Amino acid sequence: MKNFIQIILLGVITIHAAHSQNTIKGVVTDAKTTNGIPFASVYFPQLEKGTETDSKGSFTIENLPDGTYKLVVSSVGFTTFTSNVKTGLTNQLSISLNPSAIEMEEVIVSTPFHKLQSDNVMKVERASISKLKAEGALTLAEGLNNISGVESVSTGVGIGKPVIRGLSGNRVLVYTQGIRLENQQFGDEHGLGVNDAGIESVEVIKGPASLLYGSDALGGVLYLNPERFANSNSSEGDINLNYYTNTLGYSTNGGFKTSGDKFKFLIRGTYSSHADYKTGARERVTNTRFNEVDLKSGIGYQSGNFISEIRYNLNKSKLGIPEEVGLQSKDRTPLEPYQEITSHIFSSKSSLFFDNSSLDVILGYTYNDRQEFEEHHHHEEEEVPGEEEHLEEEHGEEHGEEAALNMDLNTFNYNIRYNLPKLGNFETIIGVQGMYQTNKNFGEEILIPDATTSDFGLLATSHYHLEKFDFQFGIRYDIRSIDTDAHGEITDEHYIAAIDKNFNSFNASFGTKINFTDHIDLRLNIASGFRAPNLAELTSNGVHHGTNRYEIGNSNLNNERNLQTDFTLEYKNQHFEAFFDGFYNKINDYIFLEPNGETLDDNPVFNYVQEDAKLFGGETGFHLHPHPIDWLHFESSFEIVFGEQNTGEYLPLIPASSLTNTFRVEFDQDKKVVKNSYGFITLKNVFDQNNASQFETPTNSYVLLNLGLGGKISLGRQELNLNLSVNNLLDESYYSHLSRLKRDGIYNIGRNINFGINMPF
């Protein structure tokens, strides 16, 4: 397989395809007034190349290869335009956009054919990071809670893991920089491991996406779109500052990017620091403090029919692991126990375009170092005379302190796809994906043994378009092999036996989108998915300190397999939008922890077991934007999920039902001082969660009131984007059902005021 990949890469790099340097010119106008639209985005998603219109609505894009490519034109306050454009034939375009109060559409990247959401067979939730930040989220994981159907399992405010329709952990696959994120995500007590700076938007596939992404996409995919490069022959930069009153926290980042005709470059650095958060009862939760350093950079090249980019992300965080409401402190240095997590993510994406087809090659390498420091865990050896005190060993020592748990995870993955020539109304993609991963331990304690994991998958998917109907279907085969080393002596109580296991699965999906009328759309998708058991589920035999329980794995676990049906009905007109999303998810051999009533090492013993299960529910809501007062918006949405075993017992970590109502005003008038101003007020009602699993307790209802405002201020030639938001305005004391601190009687975060400023240059 490695030789096959090398041959493909060599072909991509060395091939010299004959090509023409094409230029597209045009003008974008308002269909109602015929006036040119300034600063509209004109973008070729496949080529990752675009520009903005000038003050008269005119644009020029040069250095385009031969072929037919999708063109997307968008501007705030107008309906997004999309059309296939054949370069070399059309040199002058005239594009009219219709005014609309609906937010402009973007191309969905996480699905295979990169269509607008209105053209997608599969419904995907998309949110810009700037919008989530304007709503006052401290972290990316917290911001995801504002996306329909998504919640977060949290340990304080610094540690959060996404939950999609009741499924979390390894059942939700995270993609960043176009590659799967591997950072020991099975762990309950560490977070997403990604900073929101340098990320443009997030897309959420709710439901099995194993056809597209393989194992671990059984519950859905969280797809993080990285910051775009600057438009051709332009440069830009910005500085961002955010302050949070509750944690006395601040986050600052700055970035710069520039692009020429062929080369492009960007870089962004971030530093964040937070003290312990304060609950609605005005108590600080000891050791919820955390610090984070993040660096993202990228370089791109485009010439004719070949484009390529390389990106790198360094993320280093130091997070306290909270256990109690104790010492009231505003200090920012985590106490023991705490963890240090360092990730290096390298990705490479190259595309070669032919007349009617294209080849995409995406490669990734991730190095993740996870260290946990516990109380009274220091060196017992005496210092060597004359040796400098500050010397550190490669793995785990810092000022005489040694990491009790120290794991290195190295992951190489590849994704090679060939977009076949279009045949009539058929678009087809075939591809190969895979991963090679090693886990090594360097600390005294282990959660999982040294292991090697290898994935390989083949896929084929097609999209068929008719005037009123769209169909999408595909099939995939995957195989995963897991090989672990034994740990300890066979007579030891904590002995872990070596395993050599193979898991395989066929998966398929079928979906259709039907345009009943100009205003009513229906989507129906049926898809299967699978997840191979992870190393913790197969091999655990010890105390899991982050959850205070003794876990025992099961090497005989089978694949989790599911079949989910999704139904979506949408209505849209000029003043009103409404939707209903329903799902039914049948999961065979669902893996979960079950207490056996015993105690080891002063901790209750939990076994990994399997049982068939089902989840069902959905989301519904509407958006009212009455004409002619298009600046006024009222949005309402309701979410509900049920999760049950076939035995009748409830599944753990199922989010409570919630109703969210938002009043929002937006003013796009071009004033001299203030532009694009907005304001909102949100009331979120979270209902009782009485359907708790056998080792959970029910959770009472609560109400959160949030508000915010912002806008763009012009100070001479300098523009500033300002925002102010207040979350939990009434300082409510409450427990989230998905908070891991709930069992210790620790409330979630109280009132938090966020001040944000963005200064472009």
Side-chain angles (χ1 to χ4, degrees):
M1 176 51 59
K2 289 185 177 179
N3 291 334
F4 171 73
I5 297 171
Q6 291 172 353
I7 292 172
I8 292 290
L9 289 178
L10 184 63
V12 171
I13 295 172
T14 60
I15 191 169
H16 180 72
H19 59 269
S20 302
Q21 300 300 312
N22 299 300
T23 298
I24 293 290
K25 296 182 179 181
V27 61
V28 180
T29 59
D30 184 329
K32 187 174 182 180
T33 66
T34 70
N35 295 329
I37 301 175
F39 311 118
S41 171
V42 185
Y43 192 66
F44 287 95
Q46 294 166 277
L47 304 176
E48 297 183 14
K49 192 176 184 67
T51 187
E52 286 186 346
T53 57
D54 60 20
S55 59
K56 297 181 180 180
S58 299
F59 67 89
T60 300
I61 304 178
E62 301 176 330
N63 192 26
L64 295 172
D66 291 332
T68 301
Y69 306 102
K70 181 177 297 180
L71 177 67
V72 178
V73 182
S74 59
S75 182
V76 175
F78 294 89
T79 301
T80 299
F81 169 88
T82 179
S83 179
N84 290 323
V85 174
K86 185 172 180 61
T87 60
L89 295 180
T90 307
N91 294 318
Q92 187 72 34
L93 299 176
S94 181
I95 300 167
S96 296
L97 302 185
N98 293 308
S100 173
I102 302 172
E103 294 182 1
M104 64 182 185
E105 287 190 277
E106 299 284 352
V107 172
I108 300 299
V109 179
S110 56
T111 52
F113 299 99
H114 293 190
K115 297 182 179 296
L116 295 178
Q117 179 56 65
S118 58
D119 299 325
N120 251 341
V121 169
M122 181 186 300
K123 184 175 181 179
V124 178
E125 300 289 346
R126 183 189 184 279
S128 68
I129 295 299
S130 60
K131 181 177 183 292
L132 298 181
K133 293 293 289 183
E135 293 170 348
L138 273 79
T139 63
L140 176 59
E142 184 181 347
L144 296 175
N145 294 343
N146 296 323
I147 299 176
S148 177
V150 182
E151 297 287 344
S152 180
V153 176
S154 64
T155 308
V157 293
I159 301 175
K161 304 179 79 68
V163 179
I164 300 178
R165 287 177 167 174
L167 297 177
S168 58
N170 274 91
R171 299 180 180 93
V172 174
L173 185 59
V174 179
Y175 256 61
T176 182
Q177 297 178 193
I179 65 172
R180 60 185 293 157
L181 179 65
E182 292 290 322
N183 62 354
Q184 307 285 11
Q185 59 266 33
F186 70 88
D188 294 317
E189 74 290 352
H190 77 102
L192 197 58
V194 181
N195 189 279
D196 54 51
I199 297 175
E200 187 170 285
S201 63
V202 55
E203 297 172 11
V204 181
I205 299 176
K206 297 182 290 189
S210 293
L211 174 72
L212 304 177
Y213 298 106
S215 180
D216 299 351
L218 176 141
V221 173
L222 192 70
Y223 198 98
L224 307 175
N225 290 310
E227 181 178 3
R228 288 183 187 178
F229 289 98
N231 290 325
S232 299
N233 299 308
S234 67
S235 299
E236 58 186 89
D238 61 82
I239 297 174
N240 300 273
L241 303 170
N242 279 275
Y243 179 74
Y244 306 90
T245 59
N246 186 288
T247 62
L248 307 176
Y250 57 86
S251 177
T252 177
N253 75 79
F256 174 77
K257 52 187 177 182
T258 183
S259 295
D261 284 330
K262 295 184 177 180
F263 287 96
K264 42 194 177 183
F265 170 79
L266 62 79
I267 188 169
R268 183 170 297 278
T270 305
Y271 180 72
S272 302
S273 177
H274 294 266
D276 295 339
Y277 82 81
K278 190 184 297 183
T279 69
R282 314 310 295 163
E283 296 177 313
R284 292 198 179 274
V285 181
T286 307
N287 210 26
T288 53
R289 61 200 70 169
F290 64 98
N291 305 294
E292 184 178 24
V293 175
D294 189 84
L295 174 69
K296 293 183 176 74
S297 62
I299 185 169
Y301 173 78
Q302 179 172 356
S303 180
N305 291 33
F306 177 73
I307 64 173
S308 182
E309 67 177 50
I310 297 174
R311 292 182 184 257
Y312 167 68
N313 180 203
L314 165 66
N315 184 274
K316 187 169 185 177
S317 58
K318 188 173 183 178
L319 305 102
I321 300 177
E323 297 176 328
E324 62 179 355
V325 176
L327 178 67
Q328 297 295 288
S329 170
K330 298 178 182 178
D331 193 62
R332 298 173 183 273
T333 302
L335 305 169
E336 294 178 334
Y338 69 91
Q339 55 186 315
E340 290 187 359
I341 300 176
T342 303
S343 294
H344 300 270
I345 304 173
F346 297 87
S347 65
S348 168
K349 177 183 178 182
S350 299
S351 297
L352 185 64
F353 297 94
F354 309 103
D355 286 343
N356 298 304
S357 62
S358 62
L359 177 69
D360 299 322
V361 179
I362 302 175
L363 305 176
Y365 171 74
T366 304
Y367 168 79
N368 177 259
D369 177 45
R370 175 180 176 184
Q371 301 183 36
E372 293 185 7
F373 298 84
E374 300 173 4
E375 295 176 332
H376 314 304
H377 199 286
H378 304 278
H379 287 293
E380 298 178 356
E381 299 179 2
E382 295 182 359
E383 294 182 7
V384 178
E387 188 174 17
E388 295 185 17
E389 294 182 0
H390 68 273
L391 287 179
E392 300 176 5
E393 291 187 6
E394 181 179 0
H395 291 281
E397 294 187 32
E398 182 177 358
H399 306 297
E401 185 176 10
E402 181 181 2
L405 178 72
N406 192 340
M407 295 191 295
D408 282 358
L409 187 70
N410 291 271
T411 307
F412 167 73
N413 49 49
Y414 56 90
N415 184 354
I416 302 171
R417 295 185 180 185
Y418 180 59
N419 300 275
L420 276 67
K422 191 172 181 180
L423 183 62
N425 292 324
F426 273 104
E427 299 175 80
T428 301
I429 295 174
I430 58 174
V432 56
Q433 295 176 343
M435 177 182 77
Y436 181 80
Q437 184 178 87
T438 60
N439 183 76
K440 294 289 184 181
N441 287 277
F442 300 94
E444 178 182 321
E445 299 178 1
I446 72 166
L447 288 179
I448 56 176
D450 293 353
T452 299
T453 303
S454 179
D455 280 358
F456 176 75
L458 293 168
L459 70 95
T461 181
S462 291
H463 183 103
Y464 183 71
H465 174 71
L466 294 173
E467 183 178 356
K468 294 289 185 179
F469 296 86
D470 284 88
F471 299 95
Q472 192 168 303
F473 45 89
I475 191 169
R476 177 181 178 125
Y477 174 75
D478 284 273
I479 184 168
R480 168 172 285 191
S481 64
I482 299 177
D483 184 11
T484 73
D485 296 340
H487 175 75
E489 300 295 331
I490 195 169
T491 56
D492 185 1
E493 182 181 39
H494 303 291
Y495 172 72
I496 299 176
I499 64 171
D500 184 1
K501 305 279 290 184
N502 289 303
F503 302 91
N504 60 80
S505 180
F506 276 101
N507 287 285
S509 71
F510 173 81
T512 182
K513 176 179 178 290
I514 304 173
N515 302 104
F516 282 112
T517 69
D518 292 339
H519 303 298
I520 300 176
D521 293 336
L522 180 145
R523 291 181 173 89
L524 178 64
N525 285 271
I526 302 174
S528 66
F530 88 105
R531 181 181 73 92
N534 62 46
L535 289 171
E537 295 163 340
L538 292 168
T539 65
S540 289
N541 188 18
V543 177
H544 201 301
H545 294 283
T547 55
N548 298 317
R549 60 187 177 226
Y550 193 106
E551 298 183 3
I552 299 178
N554 182 355
S555 61
N556 295 316
L557 293 174
N558 299 317
N559 276 342
E560 288 183 339
R561 293 186 56 84
N562 75 330
L563 182 66
Q564 179 166 317
T565 301
D566 288 273
F567 174 84
T568 298
L569 186 64
E570 296 175 309
Y571 175 84
K572 290 184 180 181
N573 65 22
Q574 187 178 359
H575 316 289
F576 182 76
E577 303 170 63
F579 69 91
F580 172 79
D581 300 336
F583 75 97
Y584 185 87
N585 189 4
K586 180 72 172 67
I587 304 179
N588 295 325
D589 292 322
Y590 183 90
I591 301 172
F592 62 99
L593 280 165
E594 182 177 70
N596 66 7
E598 299 178 2
T599 300
L600 283 175
D601 296 344
D602 298 322
N603 289 278
V605 176
F606 282 72
N607 295 95
Y608 281 102
V609 297
Q610 290 188 300
E611 178 63 58
D612 291 348
K614 59 185 177 183
L615 296 99
F616 54 94
E619 306 86 38
T620 186
F622 66 87
H623 177 191
L624 176 65
H625 39 85
H627 186 76
I629 49 175
D630 294 333
W631 50 267
L632 176 64
H633 300 257
F634 176 61
E635 300 174 62
S636 181
S637 64
F638 175 74
E639 306 173 20
I640 189 169
V641 177
F642 298 95
E644 302 173 357
Q645 303 174 37
N646 276 11
T647 60
E649 295 285 343
Y650 294 112
L651 295 178
L653 299 177
I654 300 298
S657 303
S658 64
L659 173 66
T660 304
N661 295 297
T662 299
F663 278 102
R664 181 161 46 95
V665 293
E666 297 177 346
F667 299 101
D668 298 327
Q669 291 92 336
D670 189 4
K671 304 294 184 182
K672 290 184 178 180
V673 178
V674 180
K675 304 176 183 178
N676 301 331
S677 58
Y678 69 88
F680 69 87
I681 182 168
T682 297
L683 186 69
K684 183 171 184 177
N685 295 267
V686 181
F687 302 101
D688 293 338
Q689 177 54 293
N690 295 317
N691 300 334
S693 73
Q694 58 181 317
F695 56 92
E696 293 179 322
T697 57
T699 306
N700 293 330
S701 63
Y702 55 90
V703 178
L704 299 179
L705 180 63
N706 307 325
L707 59 85
L709 55 89
K712 183 183 295 183
I713 296 178
S714 298
L715 301 176
R717 294 185 176 181
Q718 180 63 56
E719 289 187 339
L720 299 176
N721 295 297
L722 304 176
N723 67 272
L724 167 68
S725 62
V726 185
N727 288 346
N728 194 1
L729 176 66
L730 303 180
D731 214 12
E732 176 86 0
S733 295
Y734 71 97
Y735 301 112
S736 166
H737 188 69
L738 300 186
S739 170
R740 295 195 180 278
L741 300 182
K742 172 196 160 191
R743 65 185 174 206
D744 298 315
I746 299 175
Y747 291 120
N748 284 72
I749 189 170
R751 182 188 301 116
N752 182 43
I753 303 173
N754 166 232
F755 301 93
I757 180 172
N758 163 265
M759 182 175 67
F761 60 85

